[in-house]
Amino acid sequence: MSHEPKVPDPKPVRFDPSGPLAGALVPPPDKSISHRAAIIGAMAEGQTVVENFLDSDDTRSTLAAVAGLGAMVTPEPLDTVADRIVIDGVGPTGPKSLGRIDVGNAGTLLRLLPGWLAGWEGGLWRMDGDDSIRSRPVDRIAEPLSMMGARIEVTDGRFPPIRIDGERLHGIEYEMPVASAQVKSCLLLAGLRADGPTTVIEPHPTRDHTERMLEAAGAGIEREGPRVTVLPGNGLALESVSVPADISSAAFFIVAALIIPDSRIVLEGVGINPTRTGVIEILSRMGARIEVEAAGSSGGEPIGRIEARSSDLAPVEVGGAEIPLAIDELPLIALAAAFAHGRTVIRDADELRKKESDRIATVVEALVSVGASAEATDDGMVVEGAGSIRGGEIDSHGDHRIAMLGAIAGLASMEGVAVGDFEAASVSYPRFEDDLESLLAVGR
Ligand code: S3P
């Protein structure tokens, strides 16, 4: 459990140079949307059926949290999460007080849930999680929530554990200093309990899954350029949501197909919400052979089929408004850049330092340990691509995305990669190795 020293993964997992990836796959359900379905389903009145709910460590933490707050989640027990779940929301009764909510490693749960809780007078909650969660800043939500009148205490002015005493909230207009979908979502959820409209102004567009799902649940949401406004209201009813496949998980196979010769893969049912497809735009600019075909929508989100083929990659410059649209895939862009010829620069990405690990440090360390040339900068990194990597050892530092990046690096390397603490992958993608193997098997 949390705060006990984590037993290190005794044996690194090896990923040796492989043949091509081929065939078709539906990647796992979207993590961001699964978290939101569980939270908004728990807030709503009546039943919400969630089809294709992600089974992962992070989303199990969310189901356990909402169950503790009084929502009924079936099927039980939660340690056999099915891909179709039913949530009986607490509705106007509000969330039950809970002495300790364990968010595990889930940053999205940590930042979104206080938005629901803060406005319920008389309630008292404490939130905490694992060691990595204790280094994830929460002042970014505590400050605007306090401006709304919330009583929220954080540790050392910045970090979990968090204590929330429910209080009456006021609507505010808030200009976010960082482009963060988690902060925006937290304030929109809190705004439902405020005494007037709450407006969030984004410096750059960020993923808009919360707005879409709240609209589907009947909330009053108004959008105008960078401004999103939520009107007060308790009567959410979500009924059903079908979660699309996760483009952030798909991205591992896309990049693998690009950098491993003779690969050609098809990924189906993938969420292609334009606030998430920055990775496709950037890779395409690098010369990647990627085709995206829209295929309707699922749960209020556009979905599509993505085809990726081995490509000669060119270096690229990434920065500005593009960063939030590809924030979780920037490590993979850096890996792809090691396979290009020339200098790739990623800037304006200091938010990477505040993810499950300091992803500027851990990505640069990973690339250098496998023989690539990479350097950290204040707000990003520079990668000097040489067209190939040697191989070596990559430590995930407990970060799921670094673990999976290590696996892909190994397959595409000359000598293979041993990934330390590969287990971390289960935070978002427990079946990663099986799915990877299925694409390799078709390629053999
Ligand atoms: C997420 C938003 C992003 C992203 C995270 C999931 C979300 O974080 O990095 O993995 O579900 O809203 P920020 O909003 O803090 O940038």
Side-chain angles (χ1 to χ4, degrees), residues 244-245 247 270-277 280 292-296 301-306:
I247 191 164
V270 182
I272 51 168
N273 180 321
T275 59
R276 292 287 296 281
T277 48
I280 306 284
V292 180
E293 208 178 284
E301 296 277 345
I303 57 170
R305 172 186 187 275
I306 301 178

Side-chain angles (χ1 to χ4, degrees), residues 32 36 108 111 140 179-182 207 327-328 351 355:
S32 282
R36 286 158 171 79
T108 302
R111 270 65 169 266
R140 53 182 58 199
S180 165
Q182 294 179 348
R207 63 190 71 190
I327 187 74
D328 292 339
E351 272 296 296
K355 298 297 175 188

Side-chain angles (χ1 to χ4, degrees), residues 69-264:
L69 292 165
M72 197 168 87
V73 181
T74 42
E76 278 189 302
L78 296 176
D79 57 340
T80 54
V81 176
D83 65 356
R84 179 183 189 275
I85 59 165
V86 180
I87 303 169
D88 273 279
V90 304
T93 317
K96 281 201 275 196
S97 284
L98 199 56
R100 184 170 190 280
I101 301 172
D102 184 358
V103 305
N105 190 251
T108 302
L109 177 59
L110 174 73
R111 270 65 169 266
L112 264 61
L113 204 58
W116 176 22
L117 307 178
W120 290 89
E121 271 175 279
L124 171 63
W125 302 271
R126 285 171 194 278
M127 295 176 69
D128 200 357
D130 67 11
D131 288 340
S132 147
I133 267 298
R134 285 193 166 191
S135 64
R136 309 285 301 274
V138 283
D139 49 336
R140 53 182 58 199
I141 57 161
E143 279 169 17
L145 282 175
S146 303
M147 288 161 67
M148 295 177 79
R151 284 198 288 155
I152 173 164
E153 277 171 38
V154 299
T155 307
D156 298 331
R158 251 199 120 192
F159 299 110
I162 309 178
R163 177 192 160 118
I164 302 163
D165 285 84
E167 189 54 89
R168 287 172 75 96
L169 300 183
H170 315 293
I172 57 166
E173 184 166 302
Y174 184 65
E175 205 162 323
M176 285 197 296
V178 286
S180 165
Q182 294 179 348
V183 174
K184 171 179 65 174
S185 299
C186 173
L187 300 180
L188 294 178
L189 297 183
L192 291 167
R193 292 283 295 167
D195 57 8
T198 297
T199 298
V200 183
I201 303 163
E202 302 191 277
H204 293 303
T206 65
R207 63 190 71 190
D208 66 353
H209 307 306
T210 304
E211 295 89 306
R212 287 172 187 254
M213 205 177 284
L214 283 178
E215 265 169 355
I221 297 280
E222 291 163 9
R223 302 213 236 175
E224 210 192 316
R227 302 166 66 88
V228 194
T229 300
V230 63
L231 306 176
N234 273 325
L236 299 180
L238 196 49
E239 289 165 21
S240 73
V241 185
S242 178
V243 180
D246 198 326
I247 191 164
S248 297
S249 299
F252 291 97
F253 302 129
I254 294 173
V255 169
L258 300 181
I259 63 179
I260 298 172
D262 303 320
S263 297
R264 179 182 183 161

Side-chain angles (χ1 to χ4, degrees), residues 22 33 71 74 101 134 137 164 182 263 296 318 325 335 359 387 413 435:
I33 298 174
T74 42
I101 301 172
R134 285 193 166 191
I164 302 163
Q182 294 179 348
S263 297
V318 189
L325 308 180
L335 176 63
R359 285 189 183 150
S413 69
D435 284 354

Side-chain angles (χ1 to χ4, degrees), residues 28-42:
D30 191 279
K31 180 154 82 74
S32 282
I33 298 174
S34 294
H35 281 304
R36 286 158 171 79
I39 295 170
I40 296 174

